[in-house]
Coordinates of all heavy atoms in Angstrom, one line a residue:
I9 N -20.3 44.3 15.1 CA -21.7 44.1 15.5 C -21.9 44.5 16.9 O -22.9 45.2 17.3 CB -22.2 42.6 15.2 CG1 -22.3 42.4 13.7 CG2 -23.5 42.3 15.9 CD1 -22.4 40.9 13.4
A10 N -21.0 44.1 17.8 CA -21.1 44.4 19.2 C -21.0 45.9 19.4 O -21.8 46.5 20.2 CB -20.0 43.7 20.0
L11 N -20.1 46.6 18.7 CA -20.0 48.0 18.8 C -21.2 48.7 18.3 O -21.7 49.7 18.9 CB -18.7 48.5 18.1 CG -18.3 50.0 18.3 CD1 -18.2 50.3 19.7 CD2 -17.1 50.3 17.5
A12 N -21.7 48.3 17.1 CA -22.9 48.9 16.6 C -24.1 48.7 17.5 O -24.9 49.6 17.7 CB -23.2 48.3 15.2
T13 N -24.2 47.5 18.1 CA -25.3 47.3 19.0 C -25.2 48.2 20.2 O -26.2 48.8 20.7 CB -25.2 45.8 19.5 OG1 -25.3 45.0 18.4 CG2 -26.4 45.5 20.5
A14 N -24.0 48.4 20.7 CA -23.8 49.3 21.9 C -24.2 50.7 21.5 O -24.8 51.5 22.3 CB -22.4 49.2 22.4
L15 N -23.8 51.2 20.3 CA -24.1 52.5 19.9 C -25.5 52.8 19.7 O -26.1 53.8 20.0 CB -23.2 52.9 18.7 CG -21.7 53.0 18.9 CD1 -21.0 53.3 17.6 CD2 -21.4 54.2 19.9
T16 N -26.2 51.9 19.0 CA -27.6 52.0 18.6 C -28.5 51.8 19.8 O -29.6 52.3 19.9 CB -28.0 51.2 17.4 OG1 -27.7 49.8 17.7 CG2 -27.2 51.6 16.2
A17 N -28.1 50.9 20.7 CA -29.0 50.6 21.9 C -29.2 51.8 22.7 O -30.3 52.0 23.3 CB -28.3 49.5 22.7
G18 N -28.3 52.7 22.8 CA -28.4 53.9 23.7 C -28.7 55.1 22.8 O -28.3 56.2 23.2
C19 N -29.4 54.9 21.7 CA -29.6 56.1 20.8 C -28.4 56.8 20.4 O -28.3 58.0 20.6 CB -30.7 57.0 21.4 SG -32.2 56.3 21.7
A20 N -27.4 56.1 20.0 CA -26.1 56.6 19.6 C -25.4 57.3 20.7 O -24.7 58.3 20.4 CB -26.3 57.5 18.3
T21 N -25.5 56.8 21.8 CA -24.7 57.5 23.0 C -23.3 57.1 22.8 O -22.9 56.1 22.3 CB -25.3 56.9 24.3 OG1 -24.6 57.6 25.3 CG2 -25.1 55.5 24.5
T22 N -22.5 58.0 23.4 CA -21.0 57.8 23.4 C -20.6 57.5 24.8 O -19.4 57.8 25.2 CB -20.3 59.0 22.8 OG1 -20.6 60.1 23.6 CG2 -20.6 59.2 21.4
D23 N -21.5 57.0 25.6 CA -21.2 56.7 27.0 C -20.0 55.8 27.1 O -20.1 54.7 26.5 CB -22.4 56.2 27.7 CG -22.2 55.9 29.2 OD1 -21.8 56.8 29.9 OD2 -22.3 54.7 29.6
Q24 N -18.9 56.1 27.8 CA -17.7 55.3 27.9 C -18.0 53.9 28.5 O -17.5 52.9 28.1 CB -16.7 56.0 28.7 CG -15.3 55.3 28.7 CD -14.7 55.2 27.3 OE1 -14.8 56.1 26.5 NE2 -14.2 54.0 27.0
G25 N -18.9 53.9 29.5 CA -19.3 52.6 30.1 C -19.9 51.6 29.1 O -19.6 50.4 29.0
A26 N -20.8 52.1 28.2 CA -21.4 51.3 27.2 C -20.4 50.8 26.2 O -20.4 49.7 25.7 CB -22.5 52.1 26.5
L27 N -19.4 51.7 25.8 CA -18.4 51.3 24.9 C -17.5 50.3 25.5 O -17.1 49.3 24.8 CB -17.6 52.6 24.4 CG -18.3 53.6 23.6 CD1 -17.5 54.8 23.3 CD2 -18.8 53.0 22.3
D28 N -17.1 50.5 26.7 CA -16.3 49.5 27.4 C -17.0 48.1 27.4 O -16.3 47.1 27.2 CB -15.9 49.9 28.8 CG -15.0 51.1 28.8 OD1 -14.4 51.4 27.8 OD2 -14.9 51.8 29.9
E29 N -18.3 48.2 27.7 CA -19.0 46.9 27.8 C -19.1 46.2 26.4 O -18.9 45.0 26.3 CB -20.4 47.1 28.3 CG -21.2 45.9 28.5 CD -22.6 46.1 29.2 OE1 -22.8 47.2 29.7 OE2 -23.4 45.2 29.1
A30 N -19.3 47.1 25.4 CA -19.3 46.5 24.0 C -18.0 45.9 23.6 O -17.9 44.9 23.0 CB -19.7 47.6 23.1
N31 N -16.9 46.6 24.0 CA -15.6 46.1 23.7 C -15.3 44.8 24.5 O -14.7 43.9 23.9 CB -14.5 47.1 24.1 CG -14.4 48.2 23.0 OD1 -14.7 48.0 21.9 ND2 -14.0 49.4 23.5
A32 N -15.8 44.7 25.7 CA -15.6 43.5 26.5 C -16.4 42.4 25.9 O -15.9 41.2 25.8 CB -16.0 43.7 27.9
T33 N -17.6 42.7 25.4 CA -18.5 41.7 24.8 C -17.8 41.2 23.5 O -17.8 40.0 23.2 CB -19.9 42.2 24.5 OG1 -20.4 42.6 25.8 CG2 -20.8 41.2 23.9
A34 N -17.3 42.1 22.7 CA -16.7 41.8 21.4 C -15.4 41.0 21.7 O -15.2 40.0 21.0 CB -16.3 43.1 20.7
S35 N -14.7 41.3 22.7 CA -13.5 40.6 23.0 C -13.8 39.1 23.5 O -13.2 38.2 23.0 CB -12.7 41.3 24.1 OG -11.5 40.5 24.5
S36 N -14.9 39.0 24.3 CA -15.3 37.7 24.7 C -15.8 36.9 23.5 O -15.5 35.7 23.4 CB -16.4 37.9 25.7 OG -16.9 36.6 26.1
A37 N -16.5 37.5 22.6 CA -17.0 36.8 21.5 C -15.9 36.4 20.6 O -15.9 35.3 20.0 CB -18.0 37.7 20.7
E38 N -14.9 37.2 20.4 CA -13.7 36.8 19.7 C -13.0 35.6 20.3 O -12.6 34.7 19.5 CB -12.8 38.0 19.6 CG -11.5 37.8 18.8 CD -10.6 39.0 18.7 OE1 -11.0 40.1 19.2 OE2 -9.5 38.8 18.2
M39 N -12.8 35.6 21.6 CA -12.2 34.5 22.2 C -13.0 33.2 22.1 O -12.4 32.2 21.8 CB -12.0 34.8 23.7 CG -10.9 35.8 24.0 SD -10.8 36.4 25.7 CE -10.7 34.9 26.6
T40 N -14.3 33.4 22.2 CA -15.2 32.2 22.0 C -15.1 31.7 20.5 O -15.0 30.5 20.3 CB -16.6 32.6 22.3 OG1 -16.7 33.0 23.6 CG2 -17.6 31.4 22.1
A41 N -15.0 32.6 19.6 CA -14.9 32.2 18.2 C -13.5 31.5 17.9 O -13.5 30.5 17.2 CB -15.0 33.4 17.3
D42 N -12.5 32.1 18.6 CA -11.2 31.4 18.4 C -11.2 30.0 19.0 O -10.6 29.1 18.4 CB -10.1 32.3 19.1 CG -9.7 33.5 18.4 OD1 -9.9 33.6 17.2 OD2 -9.1 34.4 19.0
K43 N -11.8 29.8 20.2 CA -11.8 28.5 20.8 C -12.6 27.6 19.9 O -12.3 26.4 19.7 CB -12.5 28.6 22.2 CG -11.6 29.2 23.2 CD -12.2 29.3 24.5 CE -11.3 30.0 25.6 NZ -12.0 30.2 26.9
A44 N -13.8 28.1 19.3 CA -14.6 27.2 18.5 C -13.8 26.8 17.2 O -13.9 25.7 16.8 CB -15.9 28.0 18.1
M45 N -13.0 27.8 16.7 CA -12.2 27.5 15.5 C -11.2 26.4 15.8 O -10.9 25.5 15.0 CB -11.6 28.8 14.9 CG -10.8 28.5 13.6 SD -11.8 27.9 12.3 CE -12.7 29.4 11.8
N46 N -10.5 26.6 16.9 CA -9.5 25.6 17.3 C -10.1 24.2 17.5 O -9.5 23.2 17.1 CB -8.8 26.1 18.6 CG -7.9 27.3 18.4 OD1 -7.4 27.5 17.3 ND2 -7.6 28.0 19.4
T47 N -11.3 24.2 18.1 CA -12.0 22.9 18.3 C -12.3 22.3 17.0 O -12.1 21.1 16.8 CB -13.2 23.1 19.2 OG1 -12.8 23.7 20.5 CG2 -14.0 21.8 19.4
A48 N -12.8 23.1 16.1 CA -13.2 22.6 14.7 C -12.0 22.1 14.0 O -12.0 21.1 13.4 CB -13.9 23.7 13.9
N49 N -10.8 22.8 14.1 CA -9.6 22.4 13.4 C -9.1 21.1 14.0 O -8.6 20.2 13.3 CB -8.5 23.5 13.5 CG -8.8 24.7 12.6 OD1 -9.6 24.6 11.7 ND2 -8.2 25.8 13.0
S50 N -9.2 21.0 15.3 CA -8.8 19.8 16.0 C -9.7 18.6 15.6 O -9.2 17.5 15.3 CB -8.8 19.9 17.5 OG -8.5 18.7 18.2
A51 N -11.0 18.8 15.5 CA -11.9 17.8 15.1 C -11.6 17.4 13.6 O -11.6 16.2 13.3 CB -13.3 18.3 15.2
A52 N -11.3 18.3 12.8 CA -11.0 18.0 11.4 C -9.7 17.2 11.3 O -9.6 16.2 10.5 CB -10.9 19.3 10.6
S53 N -8.7 17.6 12.1 CA -7.5 16.8 12.1 C -7.7 15.4 12.6 O -7.2 14.4 12.0 CB -6.5 17.5 13.0 OG -5.3 16.7 13.1
S54 N -8.5 15.2 13.6 CA -8.9 13.9 14.1 C -9.6 13.1 13.1 O -9.4 11.9 12.9 CB -9.7 14.0 15.4 OG -8.9 14.6 16.4
A55 N -10.5 13.7 12.4 CA -11.3 13.0 11.3 C -10.3 12.6 10.2 O -10.5 11.5 9.7 CB -12.4 14.0 10.8
R56 N -9.4 13.4 9.8 CA -8.4 13.0 8.8 C -7.6 11.9 9.2 O -7.3 10.9 8.5 CB -7.5 14.2 8.4 CG -8.2 15.3 7.5 CD -7.2 16.3 7.0 NE -6.6 17.1 8.0 CZ -7.1 18.2 8.6 NH1 -8.2 18.7 8.2 NH2 -6.4 18.8 9.5
S57 N -7.2 11.9 10.5 CA -6.4 10.8 11.0 C -7.2 9.5 11.1 O -6.7 8.4 10.7 CB -5.9 11.1 12.4 OG -5.2 10.1 13.0
A58 N -8.5 9.6 11.5 CA -9.3 8.4 11.5 C -9.6 7.9 10.1 O -9.6 6.7 9.9 CB -10.7 8.8 12.2
Q59 N -9.7 8.8 9.1 CA -9.9 8.4 7.7 C -8.7 7.6 7.2 O -8.8 6.6 6.6 CB -10.2 9.6 6.8 CG -10.4 9.2 5.4 CD -11.7 8.4 5.2 OE1 -12.7 8.7 5.7 NE2 -11.6 7.3 4.4
K60 N -7.5 8.2 7.6 CA -6.3 7.5 7.1 C -6.2 6.1 7.7 O -5.8 5.1 7.0 CB -5.1 8.4 7.5 CG -3.7 7.8 7.1 CD -2.6 8.7 7.5 CE -1.3 8.1 7.1 NZ -0.1 8.9 7.5
T61 N -6.5 6.0 9.0 CA -6.4 4.7 9.7 C -7.4 3.7 9.1 O -7.1 2.6 8.8 CB -6.7 4.9 11.2 OG1 -5.7 5.7 11.8 CG2 -6.7 3.5 11.9
A62 N -8.6 4.2 8.8 CA -9.7 3.4 8.1 C -9.2 2.9 6.8 O -9.4 1.8 6.4 CB -11.0 4.1 8.1
D63 N -8.6 3.8 6.0 CA -8.1 3.5 4.7 C -7.0 2.4 4.8 O -7.0 1.5 4.0 CB -7.5 4.7 3.9 CG -8.6 5.7 3.5 OD1 -9.8 5.3 3.5 OD2 -8.3 6.9 3.2
Q64 N -6.1 2.5 5.8 CA -5.1 1.5 5.9 C -5.7 0.2 6.3 O -5.3 -0.9 5.9 CB -4.1 2.0 7.0 CG -3.2 3.2 6.5 CD -2.4 3.8 7.7 OE1 -2.7 3.6 8.8 NE2 -1.4 4.6 7.3
A65 N -6.7 0.2 7.2 CA -7.3 -1.0 7.6 C -8.0 -1.7 6.5 O -8.0 -2.9 6.3 CB -8.3 -0.7 8.8
L66 N -8.7 -0.9 5.6 CA -9.4 -1.4 4.4 C -8.4 -2.1 3.5 O -8.6 -3.2 3.0 CB -10.2 -0.3 3.7 CG -10.9 -0.8 2.5 CD1 -11.9 -1.9 2.8 CD2 -11.6 0.4 1.9
A67 N -7.2 -1.4 3.3 CA -6.2 -1.9 2.4 C -5.7 -3.3 2.9 O -5.5 -4.2 2.2 CB -5.1 -0.9 2.2
A68 N -5.5 -3.3 4.3 CA -5.0 -4.6 4.9 C -6.0 -5.7 4.8 O -5.7 -6.8 4.5 CB -4.7 -4.3 6.4
A69 N -7.3 -5.3 4.9 CA -8.4 -6.3 4.8 C -8.5 -6.8 3.4 O -8.7 -8.0 3.2 CB -9.7 -5.7 5.2
K70 N -8.3 -6.0 2.4 CA -8.3 -6.4 1.0 C -7.2 -7.3 0.7 O -7.3 -8.3 0.0 CB -8.3 -5.2 0.1 CG -9.6 -4.4 0.0 CD -9.6 -3.3 -0.9 CE -10.9 -2.5 -1.0 NZ -10.9 -1.4 -1.9
A71 N -6.0 -7.0 1.2 CA -4.8 -7.8 1.0 C -5.0 -9.2 1.7 O -4.7 -10.2 1.1 CB -3.6 -7.2 1.6
A72 N -5.6 -9.2 2.9 CA -5.9 -10.5 3.6 C -6.9 -11.3 2.8 O -6.8 -12.5 2.7 CB -6.4 -10.2 5.0
Q73 N -7.9 -10.6 2.3 CA -8.9 -11.3 1.5 C -8.3 -11.9 0.2 O -8.6 -13.1 -0.1 CB -10.0 -10.4 1.1 CG -11.2 -11.0 0.2 CD -11.9 -12.0 1.0 OE1 -12.4 -11.7 2.1 NE2 -12.1 -13.2 0.5
K74 N -7.4 -11.2 -0.4 CA -6.8 -11.7 -1.6 C -5.9 -12.9 -1.3 O -5.9 -13.9 -2.0 CB -5.9 -10.6 -2.2 CG -5.2 -11.0 -3.5 CD -4.4 -9.9 -4.1 CE -3.6 -10.4 -5.4 NZ -2.7 -9.4 -5.9
S75 N -5.2 -12.8 -0.2 CA -4.3 -14.0 0.2 C -5.2 -15.2 0.6 O -4.9 -16.3 0.2 CB -3.5 -13.6 1.5 OG -2.6 -12.6 1.1
A76 N -6.3 -14.9 1.2 CA -7.2 -16.0 1.6 C -7.8 -16.7 0.3 O -7.9 -17.9 0.2 CB -8.3 -15.5 2.5
D77 N -8.2 -15.8 -0.6 CA -8.7 -16.4 -1.9 C -7.7 -17.2 -2.6 O -8.0 -18.3 -3.2 CB -9.2 -15.2 -2.8 CG -10.5 -14.5 -2.3 OD1 -11.1 -15.1 -1.4 OD2 -10.7 -13.4 -2.8

Side-chain angles (χ1 to χ4, degrees):
I9 290 170
L11 187 56
T13 301
L15 289 175
T16 58
C19 298
T21 182
T22 57
D23 181 62
Q24 188 62 42
L27 291 175
D28 290 345
E29 186 176 344
N31 283 331
T33 301
S35 178
S36 176
E38 181 180 353
M39 288 173 50
T40 301
D42 283 343
K43 287 179 184 177
M45 183 61 76
N46 288 338
T47 300
N49 287 339
S50 178
S53 176
S54 294
R56 285 190 297 273
S57 178
Q59 180 66 48
K60 182 178 177 182
T61 301
D63 290 344
Q64 291 171 343
L66 180 59
K70 285 181 179 181
Q73 180 66 51
K74 182 179 177 186
S75 294
D77 290 345

